[in-house]
Amino acid sequence: MLQSILITFISAVFIDNFVVVKFLGICPFLGVSKRVKTAVGMGVAVIFVMGLASAVTWAVQSLVLDRLGLEYLQTLTFILVIAALVQLVEMVLQKTSQALYKALGIYLPLITTNCAVLGVCILNIEANHNFLISVLNGIFSGVGFTLAIVLFAGIRERLETAEVPKCLEGFPISLISASLVSLAFLGFQGLLK
């Protein structure tokens, strides 16, 4: 069991990272990565939502959709579950960390439409993971998202003081940097084979 958990961790964080390998969740990755502090906050929120969404969607799929023959409602049901969970996170952040709530701004509700969250839930079901591995895969995928966004935010902060050719200033150099981060993660591809 420990080996299975370790493989799930390495795979979700490094090998099959949702942002830089599967290219899911790019909108918050590019939008909230201007400051490391904001990126960490977004990452923690995504870890929480992915873990909780993985647990709830696994239960809904196993206990409701499969038993009633309603598997075709999976995507719609999962989107509704994720939207409700994001509302919960938004309310908690608003009460506990007003500064982080304001810093995340419009990007917090974007977790609802973050395809990485929906992707991890659907992929857990398709991979036939049990409840524990589904939840851990969701959490570890959130950790992978956080790692990628924090690394990218650190690079973007450094780019503000770097000499960049005029034609590449701003978003173009950010996209080049994101592609280089993605290439770095591709180095992990043969790790578990």
Side-chain angles (χ1 to χ4, degrees):
M1 184 60 160
L2 188 59
Q3 181 183 11
S4 181
I5 291 171
L6 184 61
I7 288 171
T8 302
F9 175 79
I10 291 170
S11 179
V13 175
F14 299 109
I15 298 170
D16 292 324
N17 187 294
F18 273 91
V19 179
V20 294
V21 174
K22 293 185 178 183
F23 303 111
L24 296 173
I26 295 293
C27 182
F29 177 72
L30 293 173
V32 186
S33 59
K34 292 181 182 171
R35 297 277 172 252
V36 171
K37 185 177 179 182
T38 310
V40 169
M42 176 61 116
V44 170
V46 168
I47 290 170
F48 180 74
V49 170
M50 277 187 170
L52 198 55
S54 294
V56 173
T57 56
W58 186 92
V60 166
Q61 181 74 33
S62 299
L63 302 175
V64 178
L65 298 179
D66 287 345
R67 288 188 180 175
L68 297 176
L70 300 173
E71 295 87 358
Y72 60 91
L73 292 175
Q74 180 188 62
T75 303
L76 177 65
T77 305
F78 286 9
I79 289 171
L80 293 173
V81 166
I82 292 166
L85 293 173
V86 169
Q87 288 300 313
L88 175 70
V89 169
E90 192 170 1
M91 289 187 299
V92 168
L93 278 179
Q94 192 173 14
K95 294 288 184 194
T96 60
S97 179
Q98 196 62 239
L100 181 58
Y101 175 77
K102 287 181 181 175
L104 291 174
I106 187 66
Y107 295 102
L108 189 57
L110 281 178
I111 295 175
T112 302
T113 58
N114 186 343
C115 54
V117 178
L118 180 61
V120 76
C121 295
I122 291 175
L123 291 173
N124 282 337
I125 301 301
E126 287 180 0
N128 242 358
H129 290 316
N130 62 30
F131 179 77
L132 178 63
I133 296 298
S134 291
V135 173
L136 290 175
N137 188 45
I139 292 168
F140 296 156
S141 295
V143 170
F145 177 90
T146 304
L147 175 65
I149 197 170
V150 168
L151 285 172
F152 187 54
I155 292 169
R156 287 183 78 177
E157 282 185 1
R158 294 285 308 263
L159 284 173
E160 288 179 1
T161 59
E163 289 186 32
V164 177
K166 190 82 171 148
C167 63
L168 295 177
E169 286 179 357
F171 204 61
I173 195 68
S174 294
L175 290 177
I176 292 169
S177 300
S179 66
L180 292 174
V181 169
S182 180
L183 284 173
F185 273 81
L186 286 176
F188 295 111
Q189 288 302 306
L191 194 61
L192 291 178
K193 295 191 184 200

